[in-house]
Amino acid sequence: MTATDVPLGHSIPAHRVHGWCSHCPQRSLAEEVAAWQIDAEERHMEEEGGEGPFAVAVDWQKCPDCGDPHSLSVVQVTVRTTTGIKRAGGWVFCLNCESVPQEAAHAGS
Ligand SMILES: [Zn+2]
Ligand SMILES: [Zn+2]
C-alpha cells in the first residue's frame, strides 16, 4: 500500500494510518474521527515511542449549528518532515448533528 493507492479525493493521512478514510464506502466521518482519537490516545500512551510521521490533535468545541458545547470535533493532522512539522489535513465535524461547518475550520488558525 503506497500513497498512490489512495483514491483521488480521499484522505491520504487516514489511508496511511488506518488504511481507509471517511470517503471510503461503508465509512463515515464519525468513524474516522473516532479512529483518529483512538490513534492519538495510543500515540500519547507510547509517548515518543510510536513510529510514523503523522500526529493528530483533536479539540472539542461548541457546535455553531446545534449549540452542543462539546460535540464539535476539530481535528488537525500534522506530518513530521525533515524540514519540520507541516499541516497535512484536518476537518471540523459535529458528532451530535453531523454538520460540517467549514467556516469554523479556519476560525482557529
Ligand atoms: Zn478512502
Ligand atoms: Zn452540531
Side-chain angles (χ1 to χ4, degrees):
M1 194 83 161
T2 64
T4 54
D5 294 329
V6 178
L8 200 66
H10 285 225
S11 167
I12 291 172
H15 272 263
R16 289 239 181 113
V17 175
H18 311 304
W20 53 271
C21 76
S22 58
H23 300 287
C24 287
Q26 317 289 322
R27 298 288 185 178
S28 70
L29 194 50
E31 277 183 280
E32 189 178 334
V33 171
W36 280 120
Q37 269 188 274
I38 292 165
D39 184 75
E41 280 166 21
E42 284 174 353
R43 278 169 209 271
H44 190 67
M45 280 190 281
E46 290 171 14
E47 295 293 328
E48 288 298 305
E51 76 281 14
F54 290 109
V56 180
V58 182
D59 188 25
W60 295 98
Q61 297 181 7
K62 180 179 177 181
C63 175
D65 287 338
C66 69
D68 191 288
H70 301 297
S71 63
L72 188 73
S73 59
V74 181
V75 181
Q76 281 210 358
V77 183
T78 53
V79 60
R80 206 178 304 139
T81 71
T82 50
T83 55
I85 292 175
K86 290 179 179 163
R87 192 175 166 188
W91 64 87
V92 176
F93 177 68
C94 178
L95 291 179
N96 189 42
C97 68
E98 299 195 348
S99 99
V100 185
Q102 290 298 322
E103 287 166 26
H106 305 289
S109 54

